[in-house]
Amino acid sequence: MRLNGCFAAMLLLLAAAGCDSGEPSAPPGIFFPTVPIGDAYPSALIGGVIEARSGCLFISAHEESWLLLWPQGYTAQEVGGEVEVTDEDGERVGRVGDEVRLGGGEGNPTEMGGSDAAERWASDLAGVDIPERCGDLYWLVSP
């Protein structure tokens, strides 16, 4: 079947519009919460290894794992069989298994009034419900 030029152009435009949905980009099965970029961020620094477990991306350090809340515009994709995160400019931030240092700050249930309060904080920031499988420690990554 042959498509006329106008119909083919319209399909192309619709497909392109669907690619910029504003939703975080990640491989299937990976929960990748992003947070709108703000004017100020916590000034802590964490060093650890990026891990993928239960469909969530964590930074693991000091026998703890924090779910990473990425700045809006960051994306995750599969590269060479591993999940890799890039910033809004397409620069590599890290890949699963990489040792990284990330600025930002922690959302910890002990300091926030419990696991439910920490989950609400993270969910409100990201605008999505945080799956239980992703734990209750959160790291807000600064851009």
Side-chain angles (χ1 to χ4, degrees), residues 62-111:
H62 314 294
E63 299 180 21
E64 299 278 4
S65 294
W66 291 261
L67 175 69
L68 293 162
L69 305 175
W70 300 96
Q72 202 165 42
Y74 282 44
T75 59
Q77 57 274 338
E78 192 170 325
V79 176
E82 292 293 345
V83 176
E84 179 177 282
V85 177
T86 55
D87 65 16
E88 68 277 359
D89 296 323
E91 296 293 319
R92 181 174 154 174
V93 175
R95 175 184 276 196
V96 169
D98 283 355
E99 178 92 23
V100 297
R101 293 168 48 104
L102 299 171
E106 173 182 35
N108 184 321
T110 304
E111 299 167 1

